[in-house]
Amino acid sequence: MILDVAHTHPLRIGTLELSSPVLVAPMVGITDAPTRALVRELGAGLVSTEMVAADAVVRAPEVARTLLDLADGTYPVATQLVGADPVAMAEAAQVCVARGAAAVDVNLGCPVPRVVNRGSGAALARDVGATARVLAAIVNAVRVPVTVKMRLGWDHQSINAPELARVLQDAGVAAVTVHGRTRCQKYLGSADWREIARVKEAVGIPVLGSGDVNDARVARLRIRAGMVDGVVIARGMLGNFWFVRQAVHHIATGESLPDLHFAARIALARRHLEMLCAYHGESRALRTGRKYVAWTIKGCNGAARLRAMVQHLDTRERLDALFDLALRAGQGPEGWFRPVFSSGEG
């Protein structure tokens, strides 16, 4: 059941009205259909597919079609595209909408070499004119809201987020998400929310803040202070999906939900793995789900001796046995572990 967030003023992105100003970022290897369904259930106002290359969508290989699977009933879901060719991006956007996308998001922030070396992601954002042409082509090609996820700039000597946001607004973009780091920072240092607020001052469309969103109280203060219209959670939820519900609830009501106790965190992780198995099949789900298991148990007593078992997870029986051992061990004195994840998150 979707969390009741009636106390929150709706966030409108173009024609799309969201139930919460808390969104979940597209993350490669993370935001597949089961994960999107779970975090949407926990109250996220909008979820997104993993980043997909527009060229791959146009060529229509099976892997791209799988990443764009929107048939599970979860709504609203955005699809995130990456690319630099206006024609291919527009055509790919039309494919996404035909498959049920409620919005199309364009990645202008991905810092990884395999993306920027092709002139996409954060590299495209360096050229404001070229970026505007790509986004205008997409806006003209689809009727759903078109959004952008970008960074502050390439480096601290070339911060162009306010200028870029203004040009994108003129091109018809419905909202921008700004990750408060530069491309050269990648995921090092701290996100600069003062710079994100400068983007909010520069445009009239919704501005969402991203980067180090791991404290619901701080997120609420930033929204109420007018620094941003909403927040986008990425690494802050890994190993602890409950944080999505905590953030949604606190921003809506000002009340704080307590952390889950260790057994409840394991129960939530177990449910997520069951959803992965139902969707992907047991073999694939347990391979891709090992990271979630490792993040969940790393906070328990004697976790080091359990980590070797994670690498051999290939049946539900082994998964149940591992979780049972973790439950008997109990949570360690340092509390639950916050993982570091950077692959493909823009």
Side-chain angles (χ1 to χ4, degrees):
M1 180 179 295
I2 302 300
L3 186 66
D4 179 10
V5 291
H7 293 93
T8 303
H9 294 296
L11 172 61
R12 184 175 290 278
I13 295 178
T15 57
L16 192 62
E17 187 173 293
L18 306 184
S19 61
S20 168
V22 176
L23 286 68
V24 168
M27 287 180 280
V28 174
I30 299 290
T31 50
D32 57 5
T35 304
R36 296 195 302 267
L38 181 60
V39 296
R40 177 72 181 112
E41 179 183 313
L42 289 169
L46 181 65
V47 294
S48 177
T49 66
E50 303 171 51
M51 178 180 70
V52 188
D55 289 344
V57 176
V58 172
R59 293 195 305 269
E62 192 59 32
V63 63
R65 299 293 183 175
T66 300
L67 291 173
L68 294 176
D69 183 5
L70 306 176
D72 68 339
T74 302
Y75 185 88
V77 179
T79 54
Q80 191 186 66
L81 296 173
V82 65
D85 178 69
V87 174
M89 290 286 276
E91 185 176 343
Q94 290 174 326
V95 172
C96 293
V97 173
R99 295 180 68 85
V104 175
D105 187 60
V106 175
N107 188 310
L108 298 177
C110 185
V112 300
R114 65 182 174 81
V115 172
V116 298
N117 289 346
R118 300 184 65 183
S120 302
L124 178 59
R126 301 180 78 178
D127 188 331
V128 173
T131 302
R133 287 189 290 274
V134 170
L135 268 299
I138 298 172
V139 169
N140 290 330
V142 298
R143 293 197 163 192
V144 301
V146 176
T147 63
V148 159
K149 190 166 189 285
M150 62 184 182
R151 287 177 172 248
L152 299 178
W154 185 260
D155 55 31
H156 280 98
Q157 287 69 50
S158 57
I159 289 178
N160 68 345
E163 174 195 3
L164 181 58
R166 284 192 294 267
V167 171
L168 294 176
Q169 176 179 251
D170 292 342
V173 168
V176 296
T177 295
V178 184
H179 183 107
R181 292 180 174 86
T182 66
R183 186 270 169 178
C184 289
Q185 279 183 280
K186 295 184 179 178
Y187 301 95
L188 300 176
S190 299
D192 189 338
W193 283 74
R194 291 171 300 179
E195 288 290 341
I196 297 175
R198 288 183 59 225
V199 180
K200 170 65 178 167
E201 294 170 355
V203 294
I205 57 176
V207 173
L208 310 171
S210 173
D212 305 335
V213 180
N214 51 31
D215 187 319
R217 293 169 299 175
V218 173
R220 185 173 192 264
L221 287 172
R222 287 168 173 162
I223 293 174
R224 289 173 67 85
M227 296 176 68
V228 290
D229 297 290
V231 295
V232 179
I233 298 175
R235 291 174 290 172
M237 73 175 191
L238 299 183
N240 181 31
F241 289 124
W242 182 247
F243 175 63
V244 174
R245 176 156 287 188
Q246 288 177 307
V248 170
H249 185 81
H250 186 70
I251 289 170
T253 68
E255 301 170 353
S256 296
L257 292 179
D259 292 337
L260 293 181
H261 55 78
F262 190 59
R265 280 200 298 110
I266 287 183
L268 184 59
R270 193 192 299 266
R271 178 161 174 255
H272 182 219
L273 266 293
E274 289 172 353
M275 293 171 72
L276 292 173
C277 287
Y279 182 81
H280 293 296
E282 185 172 305
S283 177
R284 180 183 172 190
L286 293 177
R287 286 196 308 273
T288 62
R290 288 170 186 169
K291 55 183 173 289
Y292 301 112
V293 178
W295 292 336
T296 301
I297 68 170
K298 197 164 184 181
C300 76
N301 285 306
R305 66 185 177 84
L306 298 178
R307 282 201 292 270
M309 296 177 63
V310 175
Q311 301 307 314
H312 300 288
L313 279 180
D314 55 5
T315 66
R316 292 196 188 191
E317 289 76 18
R318 287 187 174 184
L319 176 66
D320 289 339
L322 180 54
F323 276 143
D324 289 344
L325 286 172
L327 279 172
R328 287 198 292 270
Q331 183 168 294
E334 296 182 357
W336 67 276
F337 170 70
R338 291 182 181 270
V340 174
F341 176 80
S342 60
S343 176
E345 182 230 323

